[in-house]
Amino acid sequence: MEWCLVLPGRPELTLHDTRWDNGERDLVLHQPSVVPEMPALLANLHGRRRAGIEAVPAGRGRLRLMAWTVIPRTGSDRAGFKKSLTTAQLAVQCGLPLLRTLTSRPGVTLEPAFDQEDLPLVGLEHPQDVKPLQHALYFPVDDDETPVMAYAITRVMPTLRAVGWLPALTRLLTSRASPPHVSATL
């Protein structure tokens, strides 16, 4: 399934949700045959920094997407990434209001990605800034919008912010699937 990230006055960005024959699923910023004019940092994100979607062991109908972020590097045309962050760092990179909107969706939670002792609580009311950990967004199996929104928030938007393409206006993701037409506001 394809989704478009529509930015006023900018070329559309296509997010591709691929469901492979072997059961795997991932999201990536799709690289068109001709990349429209855009900053190199954003153009170089096409086809990179995939987000895998996986079933949660004993998750009873839940999936997860690792909530690591793309980190634009100063003086480089390629973005790096950071997997272990405090919850406060994750909120700064992704935007606290966007993460709160995402986790307010039915059945969606932000939690540590792995069960380990001594991990701090992961909460967005008072994001902890003590211990870096790997975060994951958990969501219902039948929810096709949340992983796409999470991918846009964690992988694409930090780069859009770095290149000055993130408008103050509402961003809109729309599906290119057959009718009914689906959209999700970020």
Side-chain angles (χ1 to χ4, degrees):
M1 182 183 298
E2 289 186 344
W3 296 74
C4 278
L5 183 60
V6 179
L7 303 165
R10 305 289 185 191
E12 287 184 358
L13 300 173
T14 302
L15 307 179
H16 199 239
D17 183 350
T18 305
R19 297 164 196 244
W20 301 94
D21 289 340
N22 65 2
E24 292 180 10
R25 181 176 170 199
D26 63 35
L27 288 152
V28 70
L29 182 61
H30 176 71
Q31 183 168 347
S33 54
V34 177
V35 177
E37 186 175 330
M38 62 183 60
L41 186 64
L42 181 57
N44 287 330
L45 190 58
H46 286 94
R48 294 184 174 85
R49 307 299 179 220
R50 293 179 183 276
I53 299 169
E54 60 188 359
V56 178
R60 298 184 191 100
R62 295 184 76 199
L63 299 174
R64 79 173 179 181
L65 179 139
M66 301 300 279
W68 51 267
T69 63
V70 167
I71 309 288
R73 295 182 235 174
T74 306
S76 175
D77 287 343
R78 297 216 187 258
F81 60 93
K82 188 157 185 169
K83 291 186 178 184
S84 291
L85 303 141
T86 66
T87 309
Q89 290 170 329
L90 181 68
V92 167
Q93 285 293 320
C94 299
L96 184 58
L98 290 173
L99 285 175
R100 285 180 175 159
T101 298
L102 191 58
T103 57
S104 70
R105 296 173 58 86
V108 177
T109 59
L110 178 68
E111 301 173 26
F114 306 104
D115 290 331
Q116 296 174 346
E117 290 185 27
D118 300 327
L119 288 180
L121 293 176
V122 172
L124 295 175
E125 286 305 312
H126 304 286
Q128 65 88 17
D129 200 19
V130 176
K131 185 172 185 174
L133 60 116
Q134 291 188 37
H135 296 79
L137 279 155
Y138 294 85
F139 53 94
V141 170
D142 61 350
D143 182 349
D144 286 331
E145 293 178 358
T146 294
V148 176
M149 292 170 66
Y151 179 81
I153 291 168
T154 61
R155 309 304 202 279
V156 180
M157 289 193 181
T159 302
L160 292 174
R161 193 175 296 112
V163 299
W165 275 31
L166 198 57
L169 303 172
T170 301
R171 277 76 56 201
L172 183 65
L173 281 172
T174 56
S175 169
R176 288 192 181 152
S178 57
H181 197 69
V182 178
S183 66
T185 303
L186 298 177

